[in-house]
Amino acid sequence: MGKANDTGVMTLRDLGFDELAERTYRALLQKPEHDLTALEAQVGAVEDDLRTALAHLVDLGVARTHPAAPSGVVAVDPTASLRQLIEHKEDELLRKYRKVAGLRTELGALSVLDARGMAGLRGGGPGVEWVDGMRDVRERLAELSSLTRASMYCVLHGRPRPEVCQALDLRLRRGIELRLVHERSALDDERTRTYLHRLMAEGARIRVSDRRLDPLIVMDEQVAVVPIDPEDHGQGALVVRQVGLLTGFLRLFDRLWDEARELSPDLQDISREPGLTDDDRRLLDLLASGNTDEVAARHLGVSVRHLRRRIARLTARLEASSRFEAGVAAVRRGWL
């Protein structure tokens, strides 16, 4: 780990080290037998600056004072001390991410007001917007998908249409939870198979149904888009925010999702994974609030070892490589 860079790789500078503190820390690890005079020569600093750097390392928790040490300070095992700094940084980033997610919620609320005003111009009753023509449908779907922050649920039949593909691709790039129910017969089409395979590779969950399905898209469980005529998409679409209708569409999607079968990466049906338990949610909430493993374990009434096994299982389920990535994925899926 060296100087800060723009490659996206975390360095010691990201954990609170300045240039001199980093050089001093590396010197302590390499030459713990050096006294202050030898350290001054090794890091190229005068005594006052060196003492300031040593105090900074103690404040960071990567070093501690020790009367028997030649320099008066010894480095703490980096495996434990740096991991703790990394976890603190991840907690900080997760809190910031959740604030940004809150701002996106506010943006979505403002868009509802705009949609209510536009409904009078575009036609449709309260909570229902009538969008004529495929060009306007594509534009409206792109607008709505850009505001989606947590989830997109889709029911499709036949070959995915360009405007739907555009919305799905955009949301996957932003890490939104995507669940898709597709007619099983669509797997007979090679282009559709290729597209579904790519969606799964990018994180989408797809299930197939033997039913004859009518298209439906639900975003953030707050707005639904359905064709005016399922047999003729050129007629346009309805954008639905009316609570009663939206609730019905959500229940319809949930029923179709429960009845359908999971699709594996090789496009074969597999059994469905179990849902998130209440204990899983409590654990995610405790970790997202910045609690240590020990505190979280006490709250849940389990051992720290058992807790860490559960964290590992959740992290694997979210396909994350770290707790921070798991936290972000949980927020995006609406688990937090």
Side-chain angles (χ1 to χ4, degrees), residues 21-73:
E22 181 175 345
R23 292 205 310 271
T24 304
Y25 179 59
R26 292 182 184 279
L28 283 175
L29 290 172
Q30 295 166 2
K31 299 290 184 180
E33 71 277 8
H34 277 184
D35 58 15
L36 285 177
T37 302
L39 279 178
E40 289 174 30
Q42 186 174 353
V43 303
V46 298
E47 182 178 346
D48 287 346
D49 290 342
L50 178 61
R51 290 186 181 278
T52 299
L54 290 171
H56 184 41
L57 295 177
V58 173
D59 290 339
L60 287 173
V62 298
R64 59 185 175 83
T65 58
H66 195 294
S71 64
V73 173

Short mmCIF file of all heavy atoms in Angstrom, two decimals, residues 21-73:
data_model
loop_
_atom_site.label_atom_id
_atom_site.label_comp_id
_atom_site.label_asym_id
_atom_site.label_seq_id
_atom_site.Cartn_x
_atom_site.Cartn_y
_atom_site.Cartn_z
N ALA A 21 3.56 9.59 8.64
CA ALA A 21 3.03 8.52 9.50
C ALA A 21 3.16 7.16 8.81
O ALA A 21 3.51 6.16 9.44
CB ALA A 21 1.57 8.79 9.85
N GLU A 22 2.91 7.13 7.50
CA GLU A 22 3.03 5.86 6.78
C GLU A 22 4.48 5.38 6.76
O GLU A 22 4.75 4.20 6.99
CB GLU A 22 2.52 6.01 5.35
CG GLU A 22 2.61 4.72 4.56
CD GLU A 22 2.00 4.82 3.17
OE1 GLU A 22 1.26 5.79 2.93
OE2 GLU A 22 2.28 3.93 2.35
N ARG A 23 5.44 6.30 6.48
CA ARG A 23 6.85 5.91 6.47
C ARG A 23 7.29 5.42 7.84
O ARG A 23 8.03 4.43 7.98
CB ARG A 23 7.73 7.09 6.03
CG ARG A 23 7.55 7.49 4.58
CD ARG A 23 8.81 8.18 4.04
NE ARG A 23 9.28 9.25 4.90
CZ ARG A 23 8.87 10.52 4.80
NH1 ARG A 23 7.96 10.86 3.89
NH2 ARG A 23 9.37 11.44 5.59
N THR A 24 6.82 6.12 8.88
CA THR A 24 7.19 5.74 10.25
C THR A 24 6.60 4.39 10.62
O THR A 24 7.27 3.56 11.26
CB THR A 24 6.71 6.82 11.24
OG1 THR A 24 7.24 8.10 10.86
CG2 THR A 24 7.15 6.50 12.66
N TYR A 25 5.36 4.15 10.22
CA TYR A 25 4.70 2.87 10.51
C TYR A 25 5.44 1.72 9.84
O TYR A 25 5.70 0.68 10.46
CB TYR A 25 3.26 2.94 10.03
CG TYR A 25 2.47 1.67 10.25
CD1 TYR A 25 2.28 1.13 11.53
CD2 TYR A 25 1.90 0.99 9.16
CE1 TYR A 25 1.55 -0.02 11.72
CE2 TYR A 25 1.17 -0.17 9.35
CZ TYR A 25 0.99 -0.68 10.63
OH TYR A 25 0.28 -1.82 10.82
N ARG A 26 5.82 1.90 8.60
CA ARG A 26 6.54 0.85 7.89
C ARG A 26 7.91 0.61 8.55
O ARG A 26 8.38 -0.53 8.63
CB ARG A 26 6.72 1.23 6.42
CG ARG A 26 5.41 1.25 5.64
CD ARG A 26 5.64 1.59 4.17
NE ARG A 26 4.39 1.70 3.46
CZ ARG A 26 3.68 0.68 2.98
NH1 ARG A 26 4.12 -0.56 3.18
NH2 ARG A 26 2.56 0.87 2.33
N ALA A 27 8.54 1.69 9.02
CA ALA A 27 9.84 1.56 9.68
C ALA A 27 9.70 0.78 10.99
O ALA A 27 10.56 -0.05 11.32
CB ALA A 27 10.44 2.94 9.92
N LEU A 28 8.63 1.05 11.74
CA LEU A 28 8.40 0.32 12.99
C LEU A 28 8.21 -1.17 12.73
O LEU A 28 8.66 -2.02 13.51
CB LEU A 28 7.18 0.88 13.72
CG LEU A 28 7.35 2.21 14.46
CD1 LEU A 28 6.00 2.66 15.02
CD2 LEU A 28 8.36 2.08 15.59
N LEU A 29 7.52 -1.50 11.64
CA LEU A 29 7.29 -2.90 11.32
C LEU A 29 8.58 -3.58 10.86
O LEU A 29 8.84 -4.74 11.20
CB LEU A 29 6.22 -3.03 10.22
CG LEU A 29 4.78 -2.67 10.62
CD1 LEU A 29 3.90 -2.65 9.39
CD2 LEU A 29 4.25 -3.65 11.65
N GLN A 30 9.39 -2.86 10.09
CA GLN A 30 10.60 -3.45 9.53
C GLN A 30 11.75 -3.50 10.52
O GLN A 30 12.51 -4.48 10.57
CB GLN A 30 11.02 -2.66 8.29
CG GLN A 30 10.03 -2.74 7.14
CD GLN A 30 10.30 -1.70 6.06
OE1 GLN A 30 11.26 -0.93 6.15
NE2 GLN A 30 9.44 -1.66 5.04
N LYS A 31 11.90 -2.44 11.34
CA LYS A 31 13.03 -2.33 12.26
C LYS A 31 12.55 -1.96 13.66
O LYS A 31 12.76 -0.84 14.15
CB LYS A 31 14.02 -1.26 11.76
CG LYS A 31 14.63 -1.55 10.38
CD LYS A 31 15.60 -2.72 10.44
CE LYS A 31 16.27 -2.94 9.09
NZ LYS A 31 17.23 -4.08 9.14
N PRO A 32 11.87 -2.87 14.34
CA PRO A 32 11.35 -2.55 15.68
C PRO A 32 12.46 -2.27 16.69
O PRO A 32 12.21 -1.68 17.74
CB PRO A 32 10.55 -3.80 16.06
CG PRO A 32 11.13 -4.90 15.23
CD PRO A 32 11.52 -4.25 13.94
N GLU A 33 13.70 -2.66 16.37
CA GLU A 33 14.81 -2.44 17.31
C GLU A 33 15.40 -1.03 17.21
O GLU A 33 16.25 -0.66 18.03
CB GLU A 33 15.91 -3.48 17.05
CG GLU A 33 16.70 -3.29 15.76
CD GLU A 33 16.01 -3.87 14.52
OE1 GLU A 33 14.84 -4.30 14.65
OE2 GLU A 33 16.65 -3.89 13.45
N HIS A 34 14.96 -0.24 16.25
CA HIS A 34 15.50 1.12 16.08
C HIS A 34 15.03 2.05 17.19
O HIS A 34 13.85 2.04 17.56
CB HIS A 34 15.10 1.69 14.73
CG HIS A 34 15.99 1.24 13.60
ND1 HIS A 34 15.85 1.70 12.32
CD2 HIS A 34 17.03 0.38 13.59
CE1 HIS A 34 16.78 1.13 11.55
NE2 HIS A 34 17.50 0.32 12.31
N ASP A 35 15.96 2.88 17.66
CA ASP A 35 15.58 3.93 18.61
C ASP A 35 15.19 5.17 17.82
O ASP A 35 15.15 5.17 16.58
CB ASP A 35 16.71 4.21 19.60
CG ASP A 35 18.00 4.64 18.90
OD1 ASP A 35 17.95 5.00 17.70
OD2 ASP A 35 19.06 4.62 19.55
N LEU A 36 14.90 6.28 18.54
CA LEU A 36 14.44 7.49 17.87
C LEU A 36 15.47 8.01 16.87
O LEU A 36 15.12 8.44 15.77
CB LEU A 36 14.12 8.57 18.90
CG LEU A 36 12.82 8.39 19.70
CD1 LEU A 36 12.66 9.48 20.73
CD2 LEU A 36 11.61 8.39 18.76
N THR A 37 16.75 7.96 17.24
CA THR A 37 17.79 8.47 16.35
C THR A 37 17.84 7.67 15.05
O THR A 37 17.92 8.22 13.95
CB THR A 37 19.16 8.43 17.04
OG1 THR A 37 19.10 9.21 18.24
CG2 THR A 37 20.24 8.98 16.12
N ALA A 38 17.78 6.34 15.18
CA ALA A 38 17.81 5.49 13.99
C ALA A 38 16.55 5.69 13.14
O ALA A 38 16.61 5.68 11.91
CB ALA A 38 17.96 4.03 14.40
N LEU A 39 15.39 5.86 13.82
CA LEU A 39 14.15 6.09 13.07
C LEU A 39 14.20 7.41 12.32
O LEU A 39 13.72 7.50 11.18
CB LEU A 39 12.95 6.08 14.02
CG LEU A 39 12.39 4.72 14.43
CD1 LEU A 39 11.24 4.88 15.41
CD2 LEU A 39 11.92 3.93 13.22
N GLU A 40 14.79 8.45 12.96
CA GLU A 40 14.90 9.73 12.28
C GLU A 40 15.66 9.58 10.97
O GLU A 40 15.25 10.11 9.92
CB GLU A 40 15.63 10.75 13.18
CG GLU A 40 14.83 11.23 14.38
CD GLU A 40 15.68 12.11 15.30
OE1 GLU A 40 16.59 12.79 14.77
OE2 GLU A 40 15.45 12.11 16.50
N ALA A 41 16.75 8.83 11.02
CA ALA A 41 17.56 8.63 9.81
C ALA A 41 16.80 7.81 8.78
O ALA A 41 16.87 8.08 7.57
CB ALA A 41 18.87 7.95 10.18
N GLN A 42 16.06 6.81 9.24
CA GLN A 42 15.37 5.92 8.31
C GLN A 42 14.23 6.61 7.58
O GLN A 42 14.02 6.40 6.37
CB GLN A 42 14.85 4.68 9.04
CG GLN A 42 14.24 3.63 8.11
CD GLN A 42 13.85 2.36 8.85
OE1 GLN A 42 14.16 2.21 10.03
NE2 GLN A 42 13.21 1.44 8.16
N VAL A 43 13.45 7.43 8.29
CA VAL A 43 12.29 8.07 7.67
C VAL A 43 12.58 9.48 7.17
O VAL A 43 11.75 10.09 6.49
CB VAL A 43 11.09 8.11 8.65
CG1 VAL A 43 10.75 6.70 9.12
CG2 VAL A 43 11.36 9.02 9.84
N GLY A 44 13.77 10.01 7.53
CA GLY A 44 14.15 11.34 7.05
C GLY A 44 13.35 12.44 7.70
O GLY A 44 12.81 13.32 7.01
N ALA A 45 13.25 12.42 9.04
CA ALA A 45 12.47 13.43 9.75
C ALA A 45 13.23 13.88 11.00
O ALA A 45 14.03 13.11 11.56
CB ALA A 45 11.11 12.87 10.15
N VAL A 46 12.94 15.10 11.41
CA VAL A 46 13.54 15.59 12.66
C VAL A 46 12.75 15.03 13.83
O VAL A 46 11.63 14.52 13.66
CB VAL A 46 13.53 17.14 12.70
CG1 VAL A 46 14.36 17.70 11.55
CG2 VAL A 46 12.10 17.68 12.63
N GLU A 47 13.32 15.15 15.03
CA GLU A 47 12.74 14.48 16.19
C GLU A 47 11.31 14.92 16.48
O GLU A 47 10.43 14.09 16.75
CB GLU A 47 13.61 14.71 17.42
CG GLU A 47 13.08 13.97 18.66
CD GLU A 47 13.97 14.15 19.88
OE1 GLU A 47 15.13 14.60 19.70
OE2 GLU A 47 13.52 13.83 20.98
N ASP A 48 11.04 16.23 16.44
CA ASP A 48 9.69 16.71 16.76
C ASP A 48 8.65 16.15 15.79
O ASP A 48 7.56 15.71 16.21
CB ASP A 48 9.64 18.25 16.72
CG ASP A 48 10.36 18.87 17.93
OD1 ASP A 48 10.64 18.13 18.89
OD2 ASP A 48 10.64 20.08 17.89
N ASP A 49 8.99 16.16 14.49
CA ASP A 49 8.06 15.62 13.50
C ASP A 49 7.87 14.12 13.69
O ASP A 49 6.77 13.58 13.52
CB ASP A 49 8.56 15.91 12.08
CG ASP A 49 8.47 17.39 11.73
OD1 ASP A 49 7.73 18.11 12.42
OD2 ASP A 49 9.14 17.81 10.78
N LEU A 50 8.95 13.41 14.04
CA LEU A 50 8.87 11.98 14.25
C LEU A 50 7.97 11.66 15.43
O LEU A 50 7.14 10.74 15.38
CB LEU A 50 10.27 11.39 14.46
CG LEU A 50 10.32 9.88 14.73
CD1 LEU A 50 9.74 9.11 13.55
CD2 LEU A 50 11.75 9.45 15.02
N ARG A 51 8.14 12.43 16.54
CA ARG A 51 7.28 12.18 17.70
C ARG A 51 5.81 12.44 17.37
O ARG A 51 4.91 11.73 17.84
CB ARG A 51 7.73 13.07 18.87
CG ARG A 51 9.07 12.66 19.47
CD ARG A 51 9.40 13.49 20.71
NE ARG A 51 10.68 13.13 21.29
CZ ARG A 51 10.87 12.09 22.09
NH1 ARG A 51 9.82 11.33 22.43
NH2 ARG A 51 12.07 11.83 22.59
N THR A 52 5.56 13.47 16.56
CA THR A 52 4.18 13.74 16.14
C THR A 52 3.62 12.58 15.33
O THR A 52 2.47 12.16 15.51
CB THR A 52 4.12 15.03 15.29
OG1 THR A 52 4.56 16.14 16.09
CG2 THR A 52 2.69 15.30 14.81
N ALA A 53 4.45 12.02 14.44
CA ALA A 53 4.02 10.89 13.63
C ALA A 53 3.75 9.67 14.50
O ALA A 53 2.76 8.94 14.29
CB ALA A 53 5.07 10.57 12.57
N LEU A 54 4.61 9.43 15.49
CA LEU A 54 4.41 8.29 16.39
C LEU A 54 3.12 8.44 17.19
O LEU A 54 2.36 7.48 17.39
CB LEU A 54 5.61 8.14 17.33
CG LEU A 54 6.92 7.66 16.68
CD1 LEU A 54 8.07 7.78 17.66
CD2 LEU A 54 6.77 6.21 16.19
N ALA A 55 2.85 9.67 17.66
CA ALA A 55 1.61 9.92 18.40
C ALA A 55 0.39 9.69 17.52
O ALA A 55 -0.65 9.16 17.97
CB ALA A 55 1.61 11.35 18.95
N HIS A 56 0.53 10.07 16.25
CA HIS A 56 -0.57 9.86 15.31
C HIS A 56 -0.84 8.37 15.11
O HIS A 56 -2.01 7.94 15.06
CB HIS A 56 -0.22 10.52 13.97
CG HIS A 56 -1.32 10.46 12.95
ND1 HIS A 56 -2.65 10.65 13.26
CD2 HIS A 56 -1.29 10.22 11.62
CE1 HIS A 56 -3.39 10.54 12.17
NE2 HIS A 56 -2.58 10.26 11.15
N LEU A 57 0.20 7.57 15.05
CA LEU A 57 0.04 6.13 14.89
C LEU A 57 -0.65 5.52 16.11
O LEU A 57 -1.48 4.61 15.98
CB LEU A 57 1.39 5.46 14.67
CG LEU A 57 2.12 5.82 13.37
CD1 LEU A 57 3.48 5.13 13.32
CD2 LEU A 57 1.29 5.44 12.15
N VAL A 58 -0.30 6.02 17.30
CA VAL A 58 -0.95 5.55 18.52
C VAL A 58 -2.43 5.91 18.50
O VAL A 58 -3.29 5.10 18.86
CB VAL A 58 -0.25 6.14 19.77
CG1 VAL A 58 -1.05 5.79 21.03
CG2 VAL A 58 1.18 5.62 19.89
N ASP A 59 -2.74 7.15 18.06
CA ASP A 59 -4.15 7.57 17.97
C ASP A 59 -4.93 6.71 16.99
O ASP A 59 -6.11 6.41 17.22
CB ASP A 59 -4.24 9.04 17.53
CG ASP A 59 -3.76 10.00 18.61
OD1 ASP A 59 -3.75 9.59 19.79
OD2 ASP A 59 -3.41 11.14 18.27
N LEU A 60 -4.29 6.28 15.92
CA LEU A 60 -4.96 5.43 14.93
C LEU A 60 -5.17 4.01 15.45
O LEU A 60 -5.98 3.26 14.92
CB LEU A 60 -4.14 5.38 13.63
CG LEU A 60 -4.15 6.62 12.75
CD1 LEU A 60 -3.17 6.45 11.59
CD2 LEU A 60 -5.56 6.89 12.20
N GLY A 61 -4.43 3.63 16.49
CA GLY A 61 -4.55 2.29 17.04
C GLY A 61 -3.66 1.27 16.38
O GLY A 61 -3.77 0.07 16.65
N VAL A 62 -2.73 1.71 15.51
CA VAL A 62 -1.84 0.76 14.84
C VAL A 62 -0.50 0.65 15.58
O VAL A 62 0.37 -0.14 15.19
CB VAL A 62 -1.59 1.17 13.38
CG1 VAL A 62 -2.89 1.15 12.60
CG2 VAL A 62 -0.92 2.53 13.28
N ALA A 63 -0.34 1.44 16.62
CA ALA A 63 0.86 1.37 17.45
C ALA A 63 0.46 1.70 18.89
O ALA A 63 -0.60 2.27 19.14
CB ALA A 63 1.93 2.34 16.95
N ARG A 64 1.35 1.32 19.85
CA ARG A 64 1.08 1.64 21.26
C ARG A 64 2.41 1.96 21.94
O ARG A 64 3.48 1.48 21.52
CB ARG A 64 0.37 0.49 21.96
CG ARG A 64 1.13 -0.82 21.95
CD ARG A 64 0.29 -1.95 22.57
NE ARG A 64 0.95 -3.24 22.47
CZ ARG A 64 1.87 -3.69 23.31
NH1 ARG A 64 2.24 -2.95 24.36
NH2 ARG A 64 2.43 -4.88 23.13
N THR A 65 2.31 2.74 22.97
CA THR A 65 3.52 3.08 23.73
C THR A 65 3.97 1.86 24.52
O THR A 65 3.14 1.06 24.98
CB THR A 65 3.26 4.26 24.67
OG1 THR A 65 2.19 3.93 25.57
CG2 THR A 65 2.89 5.51 23.89
N HIS A 66 5.30 1.74 24.65
CA HIS A 66 5.87 0.60 25.38
C HIS A 66 7.21 1.04 25.95
O HIS A 66 8.14 1.38 25.21
CB HIS A 66 6.07 -0.59 24.44
CG HIS A 66 6.30 -1.88 25.17
ND1 HIS A 66 7.42 -2.14 25.94
CD2 HIS A 66 5.52 -3.01 25.24
CE1 HIS A 66 7.34 -3.35 26.45
NE2 HIS A 66 6.20 -3.90 26.05
N PRO A 67 7.34 1.07 27.29
CA PRO A 67 8.56 1.60 27.91
C PRO A 67 9.82 0.82 27.54
O PRO A 67 10.92 1.38 27.55
CB PRO A 67 8.26 1.51 29.41
CG PRO A 67 7.17 0.49 29.53
CD PRO A 67 6.36 0.64 28.29
N ALA A 68 9.66 -0.46 27.19
CA ALA A 68 10.85 -1.25 26.87
C ALA A 68 11.28 -1.13 25.42
O ALA A 68 12.36 -1.60 25.04
CB ALA A 68 10.59 -2.72 27.21
N ALA A 69 10.44 -0.50 24.58
CA ALA A 69 10.78 -0.37 23.17
C ALA A 69 11.85 0.71 22.99
O ALA A 69 11.80 1.76 23.66
CB ALA A 69 9.54 -0.01 22.36
N PRO A 70 12.83 0.51 22.10
CA PRO A 70 13.90 1.50 21.89
C PRO A 70 13.36 2.88 21.53
O PRO A 70 13.91 3.90 21.96
CB PRO A 70 14.70 0.90 20.73
CG PRO A 70 14.47 -0.57 20.83
CD PRO A 70 13.06 -0.72 21.29
N SER A 71 12.27 2.92 20.75
CA SER A 71 11.70 4.21 20.36
C SER A 71 10.57 4.65 21.28
O SER A 71 10.03 5.75 21.14
CB SER A 71 11.16 4.13 18.92
OG SER A 71 10.09 3.19 18.86
N GLY A 72 10.20 3.79 22.24
CA GLY A 72 9.09 4.08 23.14
C GLY A 72 7.74 3.68 22.58
O GLY A 72 6.71 3.80 23.24
N VAL A 73 7.73 3.19 21.31
CA VAL A 73 6.49 2.82 20.64
C VAL A 73 6.70 1.52 19.87
O VAL A 73 7.77 1.31 19.28
CB VAL A 73 6.03 3.93 19.66
CG1 VAL A 73 4.83 3.47 18.85
CG2 VAL A 73 5.70 5.21 20.40
#
